[in-house]
């Protein structure tokens, strides 16, 4: 049960504690506790899964713009939040006396996998040894499978398809030369498919119940300023940017025959800094990035956790890049 609820908690990212909690208050106390506890649990996971989605640079090992029409690159990447913390919700019943829910957390890597494609649109202005102002389009794709837990303990079902595309653009501020690095600014939106998530908590005793997120969506936007310099077969990358997370869901909960519902949304802005290295294997590049996100705030007024919901998080991204 604990392992299955860890998967569920890891994918339940981002509803707010304000709007949802207000609607939960109109329900009987047992269901109200389950509803508000569910709101706080998903808020707790927001910064973690969103970091795994947004990652570091928009495309790994990219130096400036691609160079105009006819050039494109494809990157398969994986990102892991290295210090993730999942609440242990599996065997903890919901409170039925109005007191705060208290959760310990389990250390867990939070993964994200996707494909990014860059397409050259304009080479930019020729300044002799370099170019400025080159423009690329960026397309990303994220996949979330349908999951059915043993005995119906939890389920994850996509509403409008399991694949979600993102989009963005890159502007080359300076093309890489023998003496200068490549520098670019970018904007990229990556979203998860809209899903319905449902699960159970508390076993079969008092306070046991079910909860669900219906029409649950998570959107991330990432703005980046990145510099990259190639040194023979090696390359070095450094970047800084700002991430924005937005999400919404309809929450429902049921405890001992009593039910509660709520509609919620949230947003959060964080600072993202990262460094990276790449290795040129001629046909393709292998790249890795290490970064940290910090800042912003998350409210969890109805639960307590042994680790802060708005703590900074470290992540590691790696992947393979093909350019043509």
């Amino acid at each position: 049960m604990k392992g299955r609820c860890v998967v569920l908690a890891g994918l339940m990212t981002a509803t707010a504690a304000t709007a949802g909690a207000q609607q939960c208050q109109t329900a009987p106390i047992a269901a109200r506790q389950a509803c508000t506890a569910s709101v706080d649990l998903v808020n707790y996971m927001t910064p973690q899964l969103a970091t795994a989605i947004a990652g570091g640079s928009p495309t790994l090992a990219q130096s400036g713009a691609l160079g105009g029409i006819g050039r494109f690159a494809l990157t398969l990447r994986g990102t892991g939040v290295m210090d993730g913390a999942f609440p242990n919700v599996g065997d903890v019943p919901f409170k039925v006396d109005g007191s705060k829910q208290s959760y310990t957390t389990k250390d867990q890597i939070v993964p994200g996998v996707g494909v990014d494609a860059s397409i050259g649109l304009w080479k930019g202005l020729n300044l002799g040894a370099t170019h400025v102002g080159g423009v690329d389009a960026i397309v990303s794709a994220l996949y979330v499978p349908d999951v059915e837990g043993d005995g119906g303990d939890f389920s994850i079902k996509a509403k409008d398809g399991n694949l979600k595309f993102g989009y963005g653009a890159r502007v080359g501020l300076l093309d890489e030369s023998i003496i200068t690095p490549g520098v670019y600014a970018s904007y990229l939106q990556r979203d998860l498919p809209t899903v319905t998530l449902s699960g159970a908590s508390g076993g079969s005793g008092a306070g046991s119940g079910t909860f669900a997120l219906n029409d649950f969506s998570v959107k991330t936007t990432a703005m980046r300023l990145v510099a990259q310099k190639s040194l023979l077969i090696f390359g070095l990358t450094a970047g800084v940017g700002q991430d924005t997370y937005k999400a919404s869901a309809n929450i429902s909960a049921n405890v001992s025959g009593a039910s509660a519902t709520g509609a919620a949304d949230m947003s959060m802005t964080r600072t993202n800094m990262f460094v990276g290295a790449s290795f040129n294997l001629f046909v393709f590049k292998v790249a890795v990035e290490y970064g940290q996100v910090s800042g912003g705030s998350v409210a969890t007024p109805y639960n307590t956790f042994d680790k802060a919901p708005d703590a900074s998080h470290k992540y590691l991204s790696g992947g393979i890049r093909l350019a043509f």
Side-chain angles (χ1 to χ4, degrees):
M1 179 67 179
K2 288 185 178 179
R4 294 192 291 269
C5 284
V6 161
V7 176
L8 179 62
L11 289 171
M12 290 194 314
T13 47
T15 52
T18 303
Q22 290 173 350
Q23 295 189 42
C24 291
Q25 298 301 330
T26 63
I29 185 170
R32 182 174 73 229
Q33 290 287 99
C35 182
T36 55
S38 300
V39 171
D40 275 3
L41 284 171
V42 296
N43 273 279
Y44 188 87
M45 293 305 302
T46 298
Q48 301 181 51
L49 188 56
T51 298
I53 298 170
S57 59
T59 52
L60 294 172
Q62 179 64 45
S63 175
L66 286 172
I69 298 294
R71 299 193 178 194
F72 66 94
L74 187 67
T75 304
L76 174 63
R77 79 154 75 206
T79 299
V81 178
M82 307 308 294
D83 53 359
F86 285 176
N88 292 313
V89 301
D91 296 326
V92 180
F94 294 115
K95 295 284 188 178
V96 296
D97 58 1
S99 61
K100 279 191 174 184
Q101 199 82 16
S102 180
Y103 289 106
T104 60
T105 57
K106 175 183 179 181
D107 294 339
Q108 182 76 33
I109 294 175
V110 183
V113 178
V115 177
D116 304 313
S118 301
I119 305 168
L121 298 180
W122 188 49
K123 189 174 184 179
L125 299 175
N126 189 343
L127 297 183
T130 187
H131 290 79
V132 297
V135 179
D136 299 336
I138 305 174
V139 179
S140 72
L142 291 170
Y143 180 83
V144 173
D146 289 345
V147 177
E148 187 69 37
D150 295 338
D153 289 331
F154 78 92
S155 66
I156 306 167
K157 296 183 179 180
K159 179 181 179 181
D160 300 315
N162 301 85
L163 189 66
K164 187 72 172 183
F165 289 96
Y167 59 87
R170 172 175 36 238
V171 177
L173 304 181
L174 183 68
D175 276 359
E176 184 176 359
S177 67
I178 295 177
I179 59 174
T180 63
V183 182
Y184 67 83
S186 67
Y187 169 90
L188 180 59
Q189 178 174 315
R190 291 188 178 106
D191 304 337
L192 284 180
T194 300
V195 298
T196 294
L197 307 175
S198 60
S201 180
S204 58
S208 63
T210 61
F211 52 95
L213 300 179
N214 302 302
D215 298 328
F216 167 59
S217 67
V218 179
K219 301 179 183 297
T220 72
T221 58
M223 294 184 290
R224 300 285 186 263
L225 179 63
V226 183
Q228 202 269 348
K229 186 71 176 74
S230 297
L231 304 169
L232 298 177
I233 64 172
F234 301 101
L236 298 176
T237 302
V240 64
Q242 186 180 83
D243 294 343
T244 300
Y245 315 145
K246 294 183 179 181
S248 62
N250 296 316
I251 299 174
S252 62
N254 187 289
V255 177
S256 303
S259 61
T261 60
D265 61 83
M266 73 85 64
S267 63
M268 184 183 189
T269 300
R270 311 206 84 180
T271 299
N272 194 321
M273 297 183 290
F274 56 92
V275 294
S278 60
F279 307 91
N280 190 349
L281 301 179
F282 303 105
V283 177
F284 57 88
K285 288 184 178 181
V286 176
V288 62
E289 291 180 348
Y290 175 80
Q292 177 177 291
V293 294
S294 59
S297 62
V298 178
T300 56
Y302 301 99
N303 297 323
T304 60
F305 301 91
D306 59 359
K307 293 184 179 179
D310 50 10
S312 62
H313 289 290
K314 298 177 177 62
Y315 64 87
L316 191 67
S317 294
I320 298 175
R321 177 179 179 270
L322 294 171
F324 303 90

PDB file of all heavy atoms in Angstrom, residues 141-170:
ATOM      1  N   ALA A 141       7.726  17.040 -25.669  1.00  0.00           N
ATOM      2  CA  ALA A 141       6.658  16.054 -25.498  1.00  0.00           C
ATOM      3  C   ALA A 141       6.869  15.302 -24.190  1.00  0.00           C
ATOM      4  O   ALA A 141       7.981  14.860 -23.889  1.00  0.00           O
ATOM      5  CB  ALA A 141       6.633  15.075 -26.660  1.00  0.00           C
ATOM      6  N   LEU A 142       5.793  15.176 -23.383  1.00  0.00           N
ATOM      7  CA  LEU A 142       5.806  14.427 -22.130  1.00  0.00           C
ATOM      8  C   LEU A 142       4.716  13.363 -22.180  1.00  0.00           C
ATOM      9  O   LEU A 142       3.625  13.607 -22.698  1.00  0.00           O
ATOM     10  CB  LEU A 142       5.571  15.348 -20.937  1.00  0.00           C
ATOM     11  CG  LEU A 142       6.683  16.346 -20.600  1.00  0.00           C
ATOM     12  CD1 LEU A 142       6.188  17.335 -19.554  1.00  0.00           C
ATOM     13  CD2 LEU A 142       7.928  15.634 -20.103  1.00  0.00           C
ATOM     14  N   TYR A 143       5.003  12.206 -21.612  1.00  0.00           N
ATOM     15  CA  TYR A 143       4.061  11.081 -21.648  1.00  0.00           C
ATOM     16  C   TYR A 143       3.765  10.603 -20.235  1.00  0.00           C
ATOM     17  O   TYR A 143       4.683  10.410 -19.432  1.00  0.00           O
ATOM     18  CB  TYR A 143       4.644   9.933 -22.467  1.00  0.00           C
ATOM     19  CG  TYR A 143       3.732   8.723 -22.549  1.00  0.00           C
ATOM     20  CD1 TYR A 143       2.707   8.660 -23.488  1.00  0.00           C
ATOM     21  CD2 TYR A 143       3.908   7.640 -21.688  1.00  0.00           C
ATOM     22  CE1 TYR A 143       1.876   7.562 -23.566  1.00  0.00           C
ATOM     23  CE2 TYR A 143       3.083   6.527 -21.761  1.00  0.00           C
ATOM     24  CZ  TYR A 143       2.061   6.498 -22.698  1.00  0.00           C
ATOM     25  OH  TYR A 143       1.244   5.402 -22.774  1.00  0.00           O
ATOM     26  N   VAL A 144       2.482  10.421 -19.911  1.00  0.00           N
ATOM     27  CA  VAL A 144       2.047   9.850 -18.633  1.00  0.00           C
ATOM     28  C   VAL A 144       1.159   8.651 -18.930  1.00  0.00           C
ATOM     29  O   VAL A 144       0.119   8.798 -19.581  1.00  0.00           O
ATOM     30  CB  VAL A 144       1.283  10.875 -17.785  1.00  0.00           C
ATOM     31  CG1 VAL A 144       0.704  10.210 -16.538  1.00  0.00           C
ATOM     32  CG2 VAL A 144       2.196  12.026 -17.376  1.00  0.00           C
ATOM     33  N   PRO A 145       1.515   7.443 -18.471  1.00  0.00           N
ATOM     34  CA  PRO A 145       0.698   6.263 -18.764  1.00  0.00           C
ATOM     35  C   PRO A 145      -0.500   6.157 -17.826  1.00  0.00           C
ATOM     36  O   PRO A 145      -0.505   6.706 -16.720  1.00  0.00           O
ATOM     37  CB  PRO A 145       1.673   5.109 -18.513  1.00  0.00           C
ATOM     38  CG  PRO A 145       2.576   5.631 -17.436  1.00  0.00           C
ATOM     39  CD  PRO A 145       2.744   7.106 -17.725  1.00  0.00           C
ATOM     40  N   ASP A 146      -1.547   5.450 -18.266  1.00  0.00           N
ATOM     41  CA  ASP A 146      -2.634   5.066 -17.365  1.00  0.00           C
ATOM     42  C   ASP A 146      -2.125   3.981 -16.417  1.00  0.00           C
ATOM     43  O   ASP A 146      -1.396   3.080 -16.835  1.00  0.00           O
ATOM     44  CB  ASP A 146      -3.832   4.524 -18.151  1.00  0.00           C
ATOM     45  CG  ASP A 146      -4.554   5.621 -18.920  1.00  0.00           C
ATOM     46  OD1 ASP A 146      -4.322   6.803 -18.625  1.00  0.00           O
ATOM     47  OD2 ASP A 146      -5.346   5.282 -19.810  1.00  0.00           O
ATOM     48  N   VAL A 147      -2.520   4.082 -15.148  1.00  0.00           N
ATOM     49  CA  VAL A 147      -2.062   3.118 -14.132  1.00  0.00           C
ATOM     50  C   VAL A 147      -3.255   2.686 -13.304  1.00  0.00           C
ATOM     51  O   VAL A 147      -4.083   3.508 -12.903  1.00  0.00           O
ATOM     52  CB  VAL A 147      -0.983   3.744 -13.217  1.00  0.00           C
ATOM     53  CG1 VAL A 147      -0.574   2.758 -12.129  1.00  0.00           C
ATOM     54  CG2 VAL A 147       0.225   4.180 -14.026  1.00  0.00           C
ATOM     55  N   GLU A 148      -3.357   1.382 -13.030  1.00  0.00           N
ATOM     56  CA  GLU A 148      -4.399   0.848 -12.168  1.00  0.00           C
ATOM     57  C   GLU A 148      -3.733   0.061 -11.060  1.00  0.00           C
ATOM     58  O   GLU A 148      -3.024  -0.930 -11.306  1.00  0.00           O
ATOM     59  CB  GLU A 148      -5.338  -0.064 -12.949  1.00  0.00           C
ATOM     60  CG  GLU A 148      -6.552  -0.533 -12.158  1.00  0.00           C
ATOM     61  CD  GLU A 148      -7.539   0.602 -11.874  1.00  0.00           C
ATOM     62  OE1 GLU A 148      -7.710   1.458 -12.757  1.00  0.00           O
ATOM     63  OE2 GLU A 148      -8.126   0.623 -10.782  1.00  0.00           O
ATOM     64  N   GLY A 149      -3.901   0.481  -9.802  1.00  0.00           N
ATOM     65  CA  GLY A 149      -3.274  -0.198  -8.680  1.00  0.00           C
ATOM     66  C   GLY A 149      -3.956  -1.511  -8.344  1.00  0.00           C
ATOM     67  O   GLY A 149      -5.101  -1.765  -8.721  1.00  0.00           O
ATOM     68  N   ASP A 150      -3.247  -2.349  -7.604  1.00  0.00           N
ATOM     69  CA  ASP A 150      -3.800  -3.637  -7.180  1.00  0.00           C
ATOM     70  C   ASP A 150      -5.013  -3.425  -6.292  1.00  0.00           C
ATOM     71  O   ASP A 150      -4.979  -2.649  -5.339  1.00  0.00           O
ATOM     72  CB  ASP A 150      -2.752  -4.440  -6.411  1.00  0.00           C
ATOM     73  CG  ASP A 150      -1.572  -4.830  -7.276  1.00  0.00           C
ATOM     74  OD1 ASP A 150      -1.735  -4.850  -8.517  1.00  0.00           O
ATOM     75  OD2 ASP A 150      -0.489  -5.094  -6.720  1.00  0.00           O
ATOM     76  N   GLY A 151      -6.108  -4.078  -6.616  1.00  0.00           N
ATOM     77  CA  GLY A 151      -7.310  -3.992  -5.800  1.00  0.00           C
ATOM     78  C   GLY A 151      -8.000  -2.652  -5.861  1.00  0.00           C
ATOM     79  O   GLY A 151      -8.840  -2.348  -5.010  1.00  0.00           O
ATOM     80  N   GLY A 152      -7.659  -1.826  -6.841  1.00  0.00           N
ATOM     81  CA  GLY A 152      -8.295  -0.522  -6.971  1.00  0.00           C
ATOM     82  C   GLY A 152      -7.842   0.498  -5.951  1.00  0.00           C
ATOM     83  O   GLY A 152      -8.534   1.487  -5.694  1.00  0.00           O
ATOM     84  N   ASP A 153      -6.666   0.290  -5.329  1.00  0.00           N
ATOM     85  CA  ASP A 153      -6.171   1.225  -4.324  1.00  0.00           C
ATOM     86  C   ASP A 153      -5.927   2.617  -4.898  1.00  0.00           C
ATOM     87  O   ASP A 153      -6.090   3.615  -4.211  1.00  0.00           O
ATOM     88  CB  ASP A 153      -4.878   0.697  -3.698  1.00  0.00           C
ATOM     89  CG  ASP A 153      -5.129  -0.495  -2.787  1.00  0.00           C
ATOM     90  OD1 ASP A 153      -6.224  -0.565  -2.219  1.00  0.00           O
ATOM     91  OD2 ASP A 153      -4.235  -1.342  -2.664  1.00  0.00           O
ATOM     92  N   PHE A 154      -5.485   2.668  -6.145  1.00  0.00           N
ATOM     93  CA  PHE A 154      -5.342   3.961  -6.798  1.00  0.00           C
ATOM     94  C   PHE A 154      -5.397   3.759  -8.301  1.00  0.00           C
ATOM     95  O   PHE A 154      -5.205   2.660  -8.824  1.00  0.00           O
ATOM     96  CB  PHE A 154      -4.024   4.649  -6.409  1.00  0.00           C
ATOM     97  CG  PHE A 154      -2.819   4.097  -7.131  1.00  0.00           C
ATOM     98  CD1 PHE A 154      -2.382   4.657  -8.317  1.00  0.00           C
ATOM     99  CD2 PHE A 154      -2.134   3.006  -6.622  1.00  0.00           C
ATOM    100  CE1 PHE A 154      -1.283   4.146  -8.988  1.00  0.00           C
ATOM    101  CE2 PHE A 154      -1.038   2.491  -7.281  1.00  0.00           C
ATOM    102  CZ  PHE A 154      -0.596   3.058  -8.463  1.00  0.00           C
ATOM    103  N   SER A 155      -5.686   4.841  -9.028  1.00  0.00           N
ATOM    104  CA  SER A 155      -5.670   4.792 -10.486  1.00  0.00           C
ATOM    105  C   SER A 155      -5.277   6.152 -11.028  1.00  0.00           C
ATOM    106  O   SER A 155      -5.501   7.197 -10.396  1.00  0.00           O
ATOM    107  CB  SER A 155      -7.043   4.389 -11.042  1.00  0.00           C
ATOM    108  OG  SER A 155      -8.009   5.384 -10.768  1.00  0.00           O
ATOM    109  N   ILE A 156      -4.660   6.139 -12.190  1.00  0.00           N
ATOM    110  CA  ILE A 156      -4.257   7.346 -12.914  1.00  0.00           C
ATOM    111  C   ILE A 156      -4.756   7.179 -14.341  1.00  0.00           C
ATOM    112  O   ILE A 156      -4.336   6.257 -15.041  1.00  0.00           O
ATOM    113  CB  ILE A 156      -2.731   7.526 -12.905  1.00  0.00           C
ATOM    114  CG1 ILE A 156      -2.184   7.497 -11.480  1.00  0.00           C
ATOM    115  CG2 ILE A 156      -2.329   8.806 -13.626  1.00  0.00           C
ATOM    116  CD1 ILE A 156      -0.680   7.346 -11.418  1.00  0.00           C
ATOM    117  N   LYS A 157      -5.647   8.048 -14.773  1.00  0.00           N
ATOM    118  CA  LYS A 157      -6.227   7.918 -16.102  1.00  0.00           C
ATOM    119  C   LYS A 157      -6.201   9.268 -16.812  1.00  0.00           C
ATOM    120  O   LYS A 157      -6.709  10.266 -16.287  1.00  0.00           O
ATOM    121  CB  LYS A 157      -7.664   7.394 -16.013  1.00  0.00           C
ATOM    122  CG  LYS A 157      -7.756   5.982 -15.444  1.00  0.00           C
ATOM    123  CD  LYS A 157      -9.189   5.473 -15.428  1.00  0.00           C
ATOM    124  CE  LYS A 157      -9.254   4.049 -14.880  1.00  0.00           C
ATOM    125  NZ  LYS A 157     -10.643   3.525 -14.844  1.00  0.00           N
ATOM    126  N   ALA A 158      -5.605   9.275 -18.008  1.00  0.00           N
ATOM    127  CA  ALA A 158      -5.543  10.503 -18.801  1.00  0.00           C
ATOM    128  C   ALA A 158      -6.911  10.806 -19.398  1.00  0.00           C
ATOM    129  O   ALA A 158      -7.627   9.905 -19.837  1.00  0.00           O
ATOM    130  CB  ALA A 158      -4.504  10.353 -19.910  1.00  0.00           C
ATOM    131  N   LYS A 159      -7.272  12.074 -19.418  1.00  0.00           N
ATOM    132  CA  LYS A 159      -8.580  12.476 -19.911  1.00  0.00           C
ATOM    133  C   LYS A 159      -8.599  12.664 -21.418  1.00  0.00           C
ATOM    134  O   LYS A 159      -9.490  12.191 -22.111  1.00  0.00           O
ATOM    135  CB  LYS A 159      -9.005  13.774 -19.224  1.00  0.00           C
ATOM    136  CG  LYS A 159     -10.367  14.291 -19.691  1.00  0.00           C
ATOM    137  CD  LYS A 159     -10.732  15.587 -19.006  1.00  0.00           C
ATOM    138  CE  LYS A 159     -12.083  16.098 -19.515  1.00  0.00           C
ATOM    139  NZ  LYS A 159     -12.453  17.398 -18.877  1.00  0.00           N
ATOM    140  N   ASP A 160      -7.592  13.362 -21.966  1.00  0.00           N
ATOM    141  CA  ASP A 160      -7.578  13.707 -23.388  1.00  0.00           C
ATOM    142  C   ASP A 160      -6.321  13.198 -24.085  1.00  0.00           C
ATOM    143  O   ASP A 160      -5.751  13.871 -24.944  1.00  0.00           O
ATOM    144  CB  ASP A 160      -7.685  15.229 -23.570  1.00  0.00           C
ATOM    145  CG  ASP A 160      -8.966  15.785 -22.980  1.00  0.00           C
ATOM    146  OD1 ASP A 160     -10.025  15.184 -23.209  1.00  0.00           O
ATOM    147  OD2 ASP A 160      -8.898  16.810 -22.278  1.00  0.00           O
ATOM    148  N   GLY A 161      -5.863  12.011 -23.688  1.00  0.00           N
ATOM    149  CA  GLY A 161      -4.662  11.446 -24.286  1.00  0.00           C
ATOM    150  C   GLY A 161      -3.491  11.493 -23.330  1.00  0.00           C
ATOM    151  O   GLY A 161      -3.380  12.390 -22.488  1.00  0.00           O
ATOM    152  N   ASN A 162      -2.590  10.521 -23.470  1.00  0.00           N
ATOM    153  CA  ASN A 162      -1.471  10.376 -22.543  1.00  0.00           C
ATOM    154  C   ASN A 162      -0.267  11.231 -22.904  1.00  0.00           C
ATOM    155  O   ASN A 162       0.667  11.361 -22.111  1.00  0.00           O
ATOM    156  CB  ASN A 162      -1.036   8.905 -22.485  1.00  0.00           C
ATOM    157  CG  ASN A 162      -2.154   7.991 -22.032  1.00  0.00           C
ATOM    158  OD1 ASN A 162      -2.970   7.555 -22.835  1.00  0.00           O
ATOM    159  ND2 ASN A 162      -2.212   7.708 -20.752  1.00  0.00           N
ATOM    160  N   LEU A 163      -0.259  11.817 -24.105  1.00  0.00           N
ATOM    161  CA  LEU A 163       0.874  12.599 -24.570  1.00  0.00           C
ATOM    162  C   LEU A 163       0.528  14.081 -24.564  1.00  0.00           C
ATOM    163  O   LEU A 163      -0.561  14.474 -24.996  1.00  0.00           O
ATOM    164  CB  LEU A 163       1.261  12.172 -25.991  1.00  0.00           C
ATOM    165  CG  LEU A 163       2.555  12.738 -26.564  1.00  0.00           C
ATOM    166  CD1 LEU A 163       3.757  12.222 -25.779  1.00  0.00           C
ATOM    167  CD2 LEU A 163       2.682  12.372 -28.042  1.00  0.00           C
ATOM    168  N   LYS A 164       1.458  14.914 -24.082  1.00  0.00           N
ATOM    169  CA  LYS A 164       1.242  16.353 -24.020  1.00  0.00           C
ATOM    170  C   LYS A 164       2.436  17.072 -24.635  1.00  0.00           C
ATOM    171  O   LYS A 164       3.581  16.807 -24.278  1.00  0.00           O
ATOM    172  CB  LYS A 164       1.057  16.811 -22.570  1.00  0.00           C
ATOM    173  CG  LYS A 164       0.665  18.268 -22.425  1.00  0.00           C
ATOM    174  CD  LYS A 164      -0.767  18.511 -22.866  1.00  0.00           C
ATOM    175  CE  LYS A 164      -1.226  19.913 -22.536  1.00  0.00           C
ATOM    176  NZ  LYS A 164      -2.636  20.135 -22.897  1.00  0.00           N
ATOM    177  N   PHE A 165       2.148  17.989 -25.567  1.00  0.00           N
ATOM    178  CA  PHE A 165       3.206  18.742 -26.233  1.00  0.00           C
ATOM    179  C   PHE A 165       3.367  20.113 -25.591  1.00  0.00           C
ATOM    180  O   PHE A 165       2.401  20.740 -25.158  1.00  0.00           O
ATOM    181  CB  PHE A 165       2.889  18.907 -27.725  1.00  0.00           C
ATOM    182  CG  PHE A 165       3.003  17.639 -28.506  1.00  0.00           C
ATOM    183  CD1 PHE A 165       1.885  16.864 -28.764  1.00  0.00           C
ATOM    184  CD2 PHE A 165       4.237  17.209 -28.975  1.00  0.00           C
ATOM    185  CE1 PHE A 165       1.983  15.688 -29.482  1.00  0.00           C
ATOM    186  CE2 PHE A 165       4.347  16.034 -29.686  1.00  0.00           C
ATOM    187  CZ  PHE A 165       3.220  15.269 -29.944  1.00  0.00           C
ATOM    188  N   GLY A 166       4.608  20.568 -25.535  1.00  0.00           N
ATOM    189  CA  GLY A 166       4.933  21.902 -25.091  1.00  0.00           C
ATOM    190  C   GLY A 166       5.576  22.682 -26.221  1.00  0.00           C
ATOM    191  O   GLY A 166       5.905  22.129 -27.278  1.00  0.00           O
ATOM    192  N   TYR A 167       5.773  23.959 -26.002  1.00  0.00           N
ATOM    193  CA  TYR A 167       6.307  24.804 -27.069  1.00  0.00           C
ATOM    194  C   TYR A 167       7.117  25.939 -26.480  1.00  0.00           C
ATOM    195  O   TYR A 167       6.989  26.291 -25.296  1.00  0.00           O
ATOM    196  CB  TYR A 167       5.165  25.370 -27.907  1.00  0.00           C
ATOM    197  CG  TYR A 167       4.180  26.196 -27.105  1.00  0.00           C
ATOM    198  CD1 TYR A 167       4.379  27.556 -26.879  1.00  0.00           C
ATOM    199  CD2 TYR A 167       3.070  25.594 -26.520  1.00  0.00           C
ATOM    200  CE1 TYR A 167       3.491  28.294 -26.116  1.00  0.00           C
ATOM    201  CE2 TYR A 167       2.180  26.331 -25.751  1.00  0.00           C
ATOM    202  CZ  TYR A 167       2.392  27.683 -25.560  1.00  0.00           C
ATOM    203  OH  TYR A 167       1.516  28.413 -24.787  1.00  0.00           O
ATOM    204  N   GLY A 168       7.962  26.530 -27.320  1.00  0.00           N
ATOM    205  CA  GLY A 168       8.766  27.653 -26.864  1.00  0.00           C
ATOM    206  C   GLY A 168       9.628  28.185 -27.983  1.00  0.00           C
ATOM    207  O   GLY A 168       9.482  27.810 -29.161  1.00  0.00           O
ATOM    208  N   ALA A 169      10.553  29.067 -27.633  1.00  0.00           N
ATOM    209  CA  ALA A 169      11.435  29.694 -28.619  1.00  0.00           C
ATOM    210  C   ALA A 169      12.766  30.033 -27.963  1.00  0.00           C
ATOM    211  O   ALA A 169      12.841  30.244 -26.744  1.00  0.00           O
ATOM    212  CB  ALA A 169      10.794  30.946 -29.206  1.00  0.00           C
ATOM    213  N   ARG A 170      13.807  30.079 -28.788  1.00  0.00           N
ATOM    214  CA  ARG A 170      15.137  30.473 -28.333  1.00  0.00           C
ATOM    215  C   ARG A 170      15.641  31.602 -29.234  1.00  0.00           C
ATOM    216  O   ARG A 170      15.461  31.563 -30.456  1.00  0.00           O
ATOM    217  CB  ARG A 170      16.096  29.285 -28.401  1.00  0.00           C
ATOM    218  CG  ARG A 170      17.546  29.653 -28.130  1.00  0.00           C
ATOM    219  CD  ARG A 170      18.477  28.457 -28.069  1.00  0.00           C
ATOM    220  NE  ARG A 170      18.123  27.420 -28.999  1.00  0.00           N
ATOM    221  CZ  ARG A 170      17.839  26.167 -28.658  1.00  0.00           C
ATOM    222  NH1 ARG A 170      17.842  25.814 -27.393  1.00  0.00           N
ATOM    223  NH2 ARG A 170      17.539  25.260 -29.561  1.00  0.00           N
TER     224      ARG A 170
END
